[in-house]
Amino acid sequence: MSSRTVTMRGSCLGGPELVVMAGPCAIESRQQIFQAAEVVAASGARFLRGGAFKVRTSPSAFQGLGWEGWRLLREAADAHGLATVSEVLSEEQIEAARAQVDLAQVGSRNMQNVPLLRALGRSRMPVMLKRSFGCTIDEWIHAAEYILAEGNEDVVLCERGIRTFETATRFTLDAAAVPIAKKRLGLPVVVDPSHAAGRSEWVESLTLAGVACGADGLLIETHPDPARALSDGPQAVALGEFPRLVDKARRVAQAMGRTVREPSLRAAAPAE
Ligand code: PEP
Ligand code: MN
């Protein structure tokens, strides 16, 4: 638990429940996001993730469906009683995001975009600030303070791995950052094992490590067909394997005195 809690659409981050957020890296089609929403909801997650505006390393890579992506995300989430989390790239997107996005994600590459941080602070929208892969915990905390300084208290931090000399994983999950960041600001901290791992094979271990370090939430990429994903396919957990992953996280959470929402009966298999 953290000393501050952030509540949206009936989900509370920082309380006794460990909140699972999951979905594809990018929204690609109506069918893809609806399939994801069904399995994600049935597994016990509370948030559907999906990027509509993608910040890709290369400009020739898939950049997302844009506004249509957000509409589909909202529709799929509503159909399954989920809240939404998605990256907001710029100040101009904030007004439109209000209707479609319950938790505005600031991406790693934008962590020190001060005009965006200030604008999100003024908006009073709940914000999830991802740590830059090239920044210290201290710099991350100061970035969060830009949002808080505008009077927005609904801030959640997300550790998603930092760049080190190691190349076996895409980034290196900084496990210690979880308790340290929680202590520094008292804000809820979410762990993203997917971008840290870079390969689906290592996502489970990092998920469980995150839970054991006291994460208040998990942000996990899952896709109906990872091999065909338009973005971050290698790190996506197949939807068919996702319920089992949440189940393991639930068991570690219980050992930590936390709960994870129970799965519903439909959790067994993804929709066709
Ligand atoms: C994402 O969540 O898909 C993403 C782009 O993450 P990050 O900003 O941490 O790279
Ligand atoms: Mn991604």
Side-chain angles (χ1 to χ4, degrees), residues 1 16 208-215 249-259:
M1 301 220 279
L208 303 182
V211 178
C213 282
R250 186 178 292 107
R251 282 188 272 151
V252 177
Q254 277 160 1
M256 297 293 297
R258 313 285 294 262
T259 57

Side-chain angles (χ1 to χ4, degrees), residues 24-26 49 54 130 170 192 194-195 221 231-232 235:
C25 178
R49 68 148 286 150
K54 297 304 299 176
K130 291 191 105 177
R170 186 176 177 191
D192 170 351
S194 304
H195 290 84
E221 289 188 344
S231 167
D232 284 351
Q235 71 197 32

Side-chain angles (χ1 to χ4, degrees), residues 63-271:
Q63 304 289 309
L65 294 183
W67 308 113
E68 176 61 11
W70 272 356
R71 278 190 289 275
L72 292 171
L73 179 72
R74 173 89 278 158
E75 226 190 289
D78 284 353
H80 293 280
L82 295 164
T84 60
V85 52
S86 191
E87 180 164 355
V88 174
L89 281 189
S90 62
E91 191 172 345
E92 303 80 70
Q93 294 175 352
I94 297 175
E95 269 321 299
R98 278 181 199 286
Q100 325 275 23
V101 178
D102 300 312
L103 179 59
Q105 174 173 324
V106 175
S108 192
R109 290 156 190 81
N110 256 331
M111 188 200 88
Q112 290 184 311
N113 180 339
V114 171
L116 178 63
L117 300 177
R118 286 203 172 114
L120 283 165
R122 288 191 302 272
S123 80
R124 307 287 166 101
M125 274 189 82
V127 178
M128 181 169 72
L129 180 66
K130 291 191 105 177
R131 179 179 178 185
S132 161
F133 52 75
C135 282
T136 64
I137 295 172
D138 207 52
E139 290 162 332
W140 184 30
I141 297 296
H142 286 313
E145 285 169 345
Y146 272 102
I147 308 171
L148 297 167
E150 298 291 337
N152 187 349
E153 303 243 303
D154 289 338
V155 182
V156 178
L157 300 168
C158 177
E159 162 61 36
R160 47 79 76 210
I162 53 174
R163 184 148 286 162
T164 67
F165 52 79
E166 185 53 70
T167 55
T169 49
R170 186 176 177 191
F171 294 97
T172 299
L173 184 74
D174 184 2
V178 180
I180 295 170
K182 282 176 73 154
K183 186 169 179 194
R184 284 283 301 275
L185 285 180
L187 296 172
V189 177
V190 169
V191 165
D192 170 351
S194 304
H195 290 84
R199 301 206 65 81
S200 56
E201 190 176 5
W202 314 125
V203 169
E204 179 181 300
S205 298
L206 298 188
T207 298
L208 303 182
V211 178
C213 282
D216 297 294
L218 293 167
L219 181 73
I220 303 174
E221 289 188 344
T222 178
H223 192 284
D225 188 357
R228 294 223 175 93
L230 298 180
S231 167
D232 284 351
Q235 71 197 32
V237 173
L239 275 182
E241 291 164 20
F242 186 72
R244 202 186 53 87
L245 174 63
V246 178
D247 206 55
K248 282 207 170 177
R250 186 178 292 107
R251 282 188 272 151
V252 177
Q254 277 160 1
M256 297 293 297
R258 313 285 294 262
T259 57
V260 171
R261 183 189 189 190
E262 288 301 316
S264 65
L265 292 172
R266 289 181 299 165

